Amino acid sequence: MTKILHADCDCFYAAVEMRDNPELRDIPIAVGGSAEGRGVIATCNYPARTFGIHSAMSSAQALRLCPHLTVIKPDFERYREVSAQIMAIFRELTEWVEPLSLDEAYLDISGVERFKGSGTWMAQWLKAEVLRRTGITVSIGVAPNKFLAKIASDWHKPDGLFVITPEQVDAFVAELGVDKLPGVGPATAQRLKQMNISDCTELGRCSLSILVDRFGKFGHRLYELSRGIDRRDVKVHRERKSISAENTFERDLTPAQVIAQELTPMVDKLAARIDRHGTPASSKIFIKLRFDDFTTTTLESSAMLPSITNFTELFERAWQRGQRPVRLVGVGIRLLDAEHSRQLALFGAPL
Ligand SMILES: [Mg+2]
């Protein structure tokens, strides 16, 4: 039986700020870009929410709603540190952790034997450990699938814990408003409303053919969601930090031989791999060189395209470090981590 836990920190960035500066605890604060710089609110604390402030709102508008709002410039370095601590606690429970952002993750706890397999006990332990070790409160939902676990974590937020057992799924879903379903935004909710559908009971009465007719492929998903079905797995993937190609030569080569014979096919191979991966937002190129005495050196350069000219230049500079016959050469690009680039983009910072 599948058992998914969804953990979501409560107003994470603001929570880190309040933890580190208790004077901010009871006053309305928001973390975001400056109003002058046309910034937006990334997150705000609960006192700020009573003024109607929410994330993605412009800072200027937030300040109109609450003129004494304290807007704090985000410190992602620190948030990432706390996030890594929290994710590490999740991984003490299971290796099946799928982070969605710095402060949110799905855990597949189906196979966890600790706590007698009780999702409630696991959630209680996680909440207590995260609070004790990082000072951050987490809301947790446990359910038989991702979509319900995510709704459950939001159910009693902040500092919430809500469990939907398999037996409770039908009753829970029956009452659920369609606007709570993942993928249903205001436009889809409006279209459903025109069909006199506002909750999952009403949605469940709709035939699959009508839903597919009206909503295309998403109609099939709506049909399943209204029955509490979600087949998505928890995906554990390590973020790819680099793409590279390397080659150990059959015999040691002079630098001229490397440049004449080896570099071009390696750079072509790299280019094909980059193509398969999708063009990264930003990257550095690097070269790795191993000499015949097995000493290895790596040299990287930012803001350069992975072209043969650039790799040749980088190779020549790297070779100067050892000036010996070459055993192995690697060429590659380092990727800017996706979360980092997303956060920068949110605040309009140049990449
Ligand atoms: Mg959150």
Side-chain angles (χ1 to χ4, degrees), residues 6-13 43 46 49 101-104 137 139 157:
H6 179 259
D8 185 15
C9 300
D10 303 323
C11 48
F12 181 56
Y13 304 157
T43 188
Y46 283 89
R49 283 176 202 203
S101 63
L102 287 182
D103 75 321
E104 206 184 320
T137 62
S139 290
K157 217 171 187 7

